[in-house]
Amino acid sequence: MEKRNGRFAIIEQLLADGIRYMFGNPGTSEEGFLDALSDYYPEFEYILALQETIAVAAADGYARSTKKPTIVQLHSGVGLGNGIGMIYQAMRGHAPLVVLAGESGLQYDAMDAQMAADLVSMAKPVTKWATRVVHPSSLLRVLRRAIKIAATPPMGPVFVSLSMDVLDAVNEEAVIPTSFAITRVAPEPDAIAEAAAMLVKASKPLIIVGDGIAYSDAQAELTHVAELIGAQVWGSDSSEPNMNATHPLYGGLLGHMFGDVSRRTTSQADVVLICGTYVFPEVFPALSGVFAPDAKIVHIDLNAYEIAKNFPVDLGLVSDPKTTLAKLGAELAKTLTPEQKRMAGQRTTKIAEIKQQQMSEQLAADQAVHDFVPMHLSQFAEELARHLPPNAIVFDEALTHSEELCRYIPPTTLGHYFQTRGGSLGVGIPGAIGIKLAHPDKTVIGFTGDGGAMYTIQALWTAARHNIDAKFVICNNRGYRILKLNILQYWQEQQIEPHEFPASFDLCKPALQFDELARAMGVQAVRVETPEEIKPAIAQALFHNGPFLIDLVIGSEVPGSPVSPKCGQ
């Protein structure tokens, strides 16, 4: 084998693993292998971001869409520090990122020089595994281990620190494709029978699911089990269509912020099946009383850490959701009595009727504001649904407006809808960029808010530079609406009389002109302020060959608030 330096060996290893993109922001300590990239273009391409947060968020979108290891390059301690918020997002969302960051060299460790930092210690809290390559002979070995760990369920980000002297040294390691373990494991038949025995006795069954369903491709198996026992299905840490949102048994998402919201649903069940998630992911979770005192709890997940983490369970199964749900469905089908099947059918009918009534009321409320100015997102979403191709992919960081969006473009199919997760703002634009790179043949549209957009607005430049044909919609309500909703809850809990929202919750002075910002970075854009402008803007965006942004100006009112909106409205 011809001798080559480590900076070339890294790219060869990535190519051997079928990896063709690196998302990053360049720095001096990585310049060696960045210089080597030109030797491998177009088989391997560097996606340039203007700030590290954007590189991580775009890689997160790509990794979520492909479910494959994705490479991020950051620059030393400063760059890693900039990216940590989004790496946290990837950790909470189980995105298989392999984050690489350069260092000036092992020989300088004792010098406490400029930009020196303990990168591994910085990365550990937000990664599955963090390490440092300390000798050229283990460069590829460590890289393969990182790729394997990132991609092994429960997936998640890993970190590898690379010193310039290791990258510049001769590397004689052979390039070998990374080995991946098979995790399609299922419980013993007795455990399946025990779970089925609990579920068939339920009179008020409930199923709680998360993105472990999507990662396991278990939507069909989950739906079959829910239909067999007549159980309503709720999402918890659920950001993908783990169940078709239009299915009569799909109830929606449990609380994101406050545990009391979830408890109102979960405490009513006598048997609860949890699959592919943990309980509960709220920011302010309930500490007790989330389940009825005598309720039976079954928890299925590949991540043993999450089972009985916060609340005891009657049966915990460390296993693959798809395989386990398939076996559980088969066991239920042969175990359910005719009377139990009849009762399950009655529950399904009742749940479906209530859901249909709620949807009718919501659609009627939307029609009541159909011609309002400032607009509601429902006006735009209804029109977009008429023109969006059937195989389009939506990245949803609409946050407080997501419910309106999903009424007209419901998440139905795995791989075609991704919602923000993890709590980091600003994923909407770069996330859509990453997904479009993964699916260049599909229409990809990313929704974000005005507050979130300003975290990563430079991502538009990346879309223009690489001609990434994603479409972006800014839900411009001129404020942090989610904070206004949350402080209403806080005032109520603290018995504080409602008053004007903090001035820091508004973004109207000066007004943000996202169409102008987009054009300044090479992205075509249009501002939409009235209902008549919606249809032409959508047509222009979908027809345009290249990235396109719609600055959608919508109302700033806050549901349930006695406080009048500001910003001139």
Side-chain angles (χ1 to χ4, degrees):
M1 180 181 67
E2 183 180 350
K3 291 184 179 180
R4 80 296 199 217
N5 294 341
R7 57 197 177 100
F8 294 96
I10 283 179
I11 311 304
E12 293 170 9
Q13 179 64 56
L14 297 179
L15 287 170
D17 283 321
I19 296 170
R20 62 161 306 208
Y21 291 115
M22 176 183 289
F23 299 82
N25 179 258
T28 302
S29 53
E30 302 84 20
E31 60 190 8
F33 76 80
L34 294 177
D35 185 45
L37 290 179
S38 60
D39 289 4
Y40 300 95
Y41 183 83
E43 288 78 15
F44 193 86
E45 187 175 357
Y46 186 84
I47 304 300
L48 176 60
L50 296 181
Q51 207 265 2
E52 291 84 356
T53 297
I54 297 163
V56 178
D60 179 73
Y62 185 89
R64 290 183 65 180
S65 185
T66 62
K67 306 293 190 288
K68 293 180 180 179
T70 303
I71 307 299
V72 180
Q73 171 268 317
L74 305 179
H75 174 51
S76 68
V78 178
L80 176 60
N82 285 341
I84 277 178
M86 275 303 172
I87 299 174
Y88 176 86
Q89 174 99 350
M91 179 188 70
R92 282 293 183 184
H94 303 294
L97 302 186
V98 179
V99 181
L100 310 177
E103 293 185 273
S104 57
L106 297 172
Q107 60 182 317
Y108 303 119
D109 271 12
M111 302 302 292
D112 190 25
Q114 180 75 6
M115 299 184 72
D118 185 349
L119 302 187
V120 173
S121 294
M122 290 175 64
K124 274 185 177 180
V126 294
T127 56
K128 285 180 68 178
W129 184 66
T131 192
R132 186 189 197 199
V133 180
V134 296
H135 196 275
S137 63
S138 290
L139 175 61
L140 300 190
R141 186 192 315 276
V142 170
L143 184 56
R144 285 192 294 270
R145 185 181 303 169
I147 292 170
K148 183 203 73 169
I149 292 173
T152 300
M155 295 182 182
V158 298
F159 174 79
V160 181
S161 175
L162 301 172
S163 297
M164 286 187 73
D165 41 13
V166 170
L167 295 175
D168 288 337
V170 171
N171 186 283
E172 298 180 347
E173 291 178 277
V175 173
I176 305 167
T178 298
S179 301
F180 298 98
I182 295 173
T183 58
R184 290 285 189 194
V185 293
E188 295 291 333
D190 287 350
I192 292 290
E194 184 179 354
M198 294 184 200
L199 291 168
V200 297
K201 296 175 183 176
S203 61
K204 293 180 287 184
L206 177 72
I207 301 178
I208 302 172
V209 299
D211 288 338
I213 297 294
Y215 277 104
S216 184
D217 190 26
Q219 188 196 69
E221 291 78 7
L222 164 69
T223 303
H224 183 52
V225 168
E227 291 171 345
L228 283 169
I229 62 174
Q232 193 169 40
V233 178
W234 288 84
S236 175
D237 195 34
S238 176
S239 63
E240 300 188 31
N242 296 300
M243 188 176 190
N244 186 326
T246 64
H247 193 285
L249 288 173
Y250 181 69
L253 300 178
L254 294 174
H256 166 65
M257 291 297 301
F258 303 104
D260 284 343
V261 175
S262 300
R263 182 161 49 190
R264 287 196 289 268
T265 297
T266 60
S267 62
Q268 303 305 306
D270 59 352
V271 180
V272 180
L273 172 62
I274 306 166
C275 192
T277 190
Y278 68 101
V279 290
F280 287 97
E282 301 100 347
V283 178
F284 302 100
L287 301 179
S288 62
V290 296
F291 301 119
D294 297 324
K296 297 294 184 182
I297 313 296
V298 179
H299 195 159
I300 301 166
D301 202 346
L302 270 172
N303 190 354
Y305 171 75
E306 300 295 359
I307 296 175
K309 179 176 74 174
N310 292 318
F311 304 102
V313 303
D314 295 280
L315 181 62
L317 304 175
V318 182
S319 57
D320 171 62
K322 185 181 183 73
T323 306
T324 306
L325 289 171
K327 291 181 178 295
L328 181 58
E331 183 69 20
L332 287 168
K334 70 180 184 181
T335 304
L336 285 161
T337 67
E339 176 61 15
Q340 288 168 337
K341 292 179 181 177
R342 186 184 69 81
M343 295 299 293
Q346 287 184 351
R347 286 193 294 270
T348 298
T349 299
K350 183 178 180 181
I351 292 168
E353 289 174 350
I354 294 172
K355 180 174 182 175
Q356 182 58 49
Q357 178 62 31
Q358 291 173 340
M359 176 61 77
S360 297
E361 292 172 358
Q362 291 166 343
L363 293 175
D366 289 343
Q367 287 304 306
V369 298
H370 189 266
D371 297 320
F372 277 28
V373 177
M375 298 178 292
H376 289 243
L377 182 62
S378 58
Q379 296 160 276
F380 181 87
E382 183 179 9
E383 186 65 32
L384 178 63
R386 298 189 182 104
H387 304 280
L388 207 58
N391 68 344
I393 302 175
V394 172
F395 191 99
D396 175 10
E397 197 195 14
L399 297 178
T400 57
H401 297 286
S402 289
E403 189 175 336
E404 293 173 86
L405 174 64
C406 292
R407 275 202 288 277
Y408 297 93
I409 307 173
T412 60
T413 308
L414 288 175
H416 288 266
Y417 173 86
F418 300 90
Q419 191 176 49
T420 181
R421 58 191 181 186
S424 297
L425 281 180
V427 297
I429 296 175
I433 288 172
I435 292 172
K436 182 62 179 181
L437 281 170
H439 299 283
D441 59 323
K442 292 181 172 63
T443 297
V444 176
I445 183 165
F447 285 81
T448 187
D450 46 350
M454 288 307 298
Y455 276 63
T456 54
I457 195 68
Q458 311 98 306
L460 294 173
W461 182 92
T462 297
R465 178 185 177 90
H466 296 279
N467 195 30
I468 300 169
D469 185 21
K471 316 303 178 184
F472 313 101
V473 178
I474 310 295
C475 301
N476 188 352
N477 59 18
R478 296 162 304 290
Y480 294 117
R481 190 175 189 237
I482 193 168
L483 296 183
K484 296 176 182 179
L485 289 167
N486 291 344
I487 204 168
L488 288 175
Q489 177 78 13
Y490 176 77
W491 287 340
Q492 182 180 356
E493 290 176 355
Q494 299 297 319
Q495 297 182 340
I496 297 173
E497 189 70 23
H499 49 277
E500 286 192 4
F501 295 117
S504 57
F505 290 7
D506 285 319
L507 301 175
C508 55
K509 297 177 181 178
L512 291 164
Q513 301 287 146
F514 288 97
D515 55 332
E516 296 179 10
L517 285 169
R519 286 191 288 270
M521 287 182 276
V523 172
Q524 291 297 306
V526 64
R527 187 173 174 92
V528 174
E529 299 179 280
T530 66
E532 295 76 23
E533 296 170 336
I534 292 175
K535 186 174 180 179
I538 291 172
Q540 189 178 354
L542 295 178
F543 180 78
H544 180 72
N545 181 21
F548 194 96
L549 180 141
I550 296 176
D551 183 4
L552 182 65
V553 180
I554 55 179
S556 61
E557 68 276 1
V558 180
S561 172
V563 181
S564 300
K566 300 298 180 181
C567 296
Q569 296 183 43

